[in-house]
Amino acid sequence: MNTNIQNIRNLSLDDLEKFFADQGAERFRARQVYDWIWKKTARSFDQMTNISLKTRDLLKQHFTINAVEINTTQKSEDGTIKMSFRLFDGHIIEGVLIPSGNRMTACISSQVGCNLACKFCATGMIRYIRNLYFDEIFDQVAIIAETARNAYGSPLTHIVYMGMGEPMLNYHNVLKSVEKISSDDGLGMSPQRITVSTVGIASMIRQLGKDKVRFNLALSLHSAVNEKRNQIIPYNLRNTLEDLTEAVKEFHQQTKTRITLEYVMLKGFNDTTSDARALAEFCKNFPVKINLIQYNPVENVPYEDSGEERTEAFKEFLEKKNLVVNIRRSRGKDIDAACGQLANKIINKNL
Ligand code: SAH
């Protein structure tokens, strides 16, 4: 029994070629296996049907695939499908498929739990356990894409890193997963169809700029007034809106992309005319698109959604300032699949 079993998905193509060469096997096997892993998203060696049983046994002796498995699947009356996934070490995370018009969007997690403790978010109430590895992020996309094909006969069109966790606190794995999802050696999806959402970690936003990333960046702003943002997003105490503004400016200089601002509508808290004015002021710093998000109820949270009328008025105020504004209505609310509702009961039980 080999005790040095490695995760095969940590190997590059070169590493795999070296492995086969060391075993006295044909070199082209490496490319076949690599394609199975990334292009054909195999999550077990037995799926690799054009690889001989002998070679598959050899692989099993040396490697594992720490694949993500489906734990539960729930379908909302609006067609949204929420899945919980079991990781190789038993932890549970969640991902969501959101069909909408011509779009099939996968919403995926980047961490098990979250330590940001945003006051309006269910995930913020459970404890942080660990970062996801890049291959675990990749698996969520692969599985949700399979679900889209099976349930709706359509391919995935968009991916949003808006599930559980803070992607910018798992920078390396998030970027590597995007690379695998967008590479021709992987799923070949355009990075322009991928959006990574962050609470706003100034140093990491600068780093994204330096790395000249090609995916979209969304910033969970929720208030353009420092003192208010502090009340709902404790992380704002670490870097203020001024820090964030400077970081986003740098990001924009480097990437030339327009960022999305997410703004969850909290009745009487951040939806007044003076809040809209502060937001419009903040938007003067760089090109943006604003998504006003309907607030989804979370147990033991004192906030309430602004409702149709106040949200429309807020939108109109911003539009008069020539800003691009969309209202994002909740999806999958009946199965706790909407923004901010991902917090698996199983994890809760283990607290
Ligand atoms: N940590 C990242 C990724 C989470 S994305 C981030 O903060 O951006 C999830 C989005 O849903 C964020 O914009 C988050 O602020 C928002 N959200 C959280 N709780 C919500 C709720 N109860 N209703 C609506 N949106 C919520």
Side-chain angles (χ1 to χ4, degrees):
M1 179 76 194
N2 187 336
T3 50
N4 278 327
I5 286 202
Q6 273 194 72
N7 177 358
I8 195 164
R9 294 193 286 188
N10 286 335
L11 270 64
S12 65
L13 182 58
D14 280 354
D15 295 335
L16 266 181
E17 282 178 349
K18 186 167 180 313
F19 169 78
F20 280 110
D22 289 348
Q23 299 294 325
E26 307 100 317
R27 196 185 154 91
F28 73 89
R29 293 276 171 226
R31 171 47 86 175
Q32 281 183 321
V33 171
Y34 196 76
D35 280 352
W36 270 111
I37 295 173
W38 297 117
K39 261 196 184 151
K40 302 188 207 165
T41 67
R43 292 186 295 280
S44 79
F45 293 112
D46 288 326
Q47 278 174 272
M48 304 181 182
T49 42
N50 65 348
I51 309 282
S52 70
L53 281 175
K54 195 164 147 251
T55 309
R56 279 188 244 164
D57 276 341
L58 180 72
L59 290 170
K60 286 180 200 169
Q61 279 164 31
H62 288 83
F63 304 110
T64 67
I65 302 180
N66 288 343
V68 163
E69 287 169 12
I70 300 173
N71 181 50
T72 59
T73 305
Q74 281 171 279
K75 191 165 178 180
S76 158
E77 53 198 26
D78 69 14
T80 301
I81 299 178
K82 178 168 86 165
M83 308 175 98
S84 73
F85 300 114
R86 186 182 296 104
L87 308 179
F88 73 93
D89 57 3
H91 290 307
I92 303 286
I93 53 160
E94 292 180 330
V96 187
L97 170 66
I98 309 155
S100 146
N102 294 332
R103 284 187 177 215
M104 276 285 159
T105 304
C107 174
I108 54 170
S109 295
S110 57
Q111 296 182 317
V112 185
C114 185
N115 57 14
L116 295 174
C118 299
K119 294 289 189 287
F120 46 83
C121 178
T123 313
M125 309 203 171
I126 57 177
R127 93 190 138 93
Y128 165 82
I129 297 177
R130 70 166 173 84
N131 277 337
L132 293 184
Y133 295 105
F134 76 99
D135 48 340
E136 296 172 325
I137 301 174
F138 180 89
D139 277 352
Q140 295 174 69
V141 176
I143 294 173
I144 295 174
E146 286 160 20
T147 306
R149 270 198 303 277
N150 296 336
Y152 297 107
S154 321
L156 271 190
T157 61
H158 294 79
I159 298 169
V160 295
Y161 285 65
M162 294 189 186
M164 303 166 87
E166 169 49 45
M168 289 300 100
L169 293 176
N170 187 13
Y171 191 88
H172 175 72
N173 284 301
V174 164
L175 261 66
K176 201 158 170 194
S177 66
V178 171
E179 204 267 312
K180 289 293 180 199
I181 292 163
S182 51
S183 150
D184 285 340
D185 269 348
L187 299 181
M189 283 192 65
S190 161
Q192 276 148 17
R193 290 167 177 267
I194 301 175
T195 301
V196 175
S197 177
T198 178
V199 72
I201 296 174
S203 56
M204 292 295 117
I205 293 175
R206 280 199 188 91
Q207 190 59 45
L208 288 173
K210 285 184 197 141
D211 288 337
K212 294 214 183 334
V213 295
R214 286 163 52 233
F215 53 77
N216 301 301
L217 181 64
L219 171 63
S220 295
L221 188 69
H222 308 324
S223 174
V225 181
N226 254 321
E227 304 72 57
K228 278 197 190 183
R229 200 168 188 264
N230 287 343
Q231 285 177 47
I232 48 174
I233 303 179
Y235 200 90
N236 199 56
L237 294 161
R238 301 236 212 136
N239 55 211
T240 61
L241 285 173
E242 288 70 38
D243 298 332
L244 269 183
T245 303
E246 288 315 307
V248 175
K249 273 187 191 165
E250 281 179 38
F251 173 83
H252 179 253
Q253 268 160 17
Q254 298 277 356
T255 61
K256 304 285 178 248
T257 58
R258 173 174 77 163
I259 72 157
T260 301
L261 296 180
E262 294 163 277
Y263 199 99
V264 59
M265 298 300 293
L266 303 174
K267 189 175 188 172
F269 179 78
N270 65 355
D271 65 353
T272 65
T273 311
S274 80
D275 291 300
R277 198 171 292 123
L279 176 55
E281 218 28 60
F282 182 81
C283 294
K284 285 183 180 162
N285 292 297
F286 24 70
V288 297
K289 183 179 92 179
I290 301 167
N291 282 348
L292 300 180
I293 307 173
Q294 199 177 352
Y295 167 69
N296 301 308
V298 170
E299 242 173 84
N300 299 323
V301 167
Y303 298 107
E304 213 185 306
D305 177 53
S306 298
E308 199 78 13
E309 218 170 288
R310 292 175 80 103
T311 306
E312 278 299 333
F314 199 82
K315 180 177 185 243
E316 270 169 36
F317 182 98
L318 297 168
E319 282 176 338
K320 285 205 183 101
K321 307 269 178 198
N322 293 322
L323 291 160
V324 180
V325 189
N326 294 302
I327 298 178
R328 288 268 181 257
R329 295 183 211 285
S330 303
R331 299 295 307 273
K333 217 154 57 171
D334 53 329
I335 54 165
D336 279 351
C339 292
Q341 294 188 315
L342 300 187
N344 200 280
K345 309 260 162 24
I346 297 168
I347 300 177
N348 267 327
K349 271 191 214 143
N350 288 343
L351 280 183

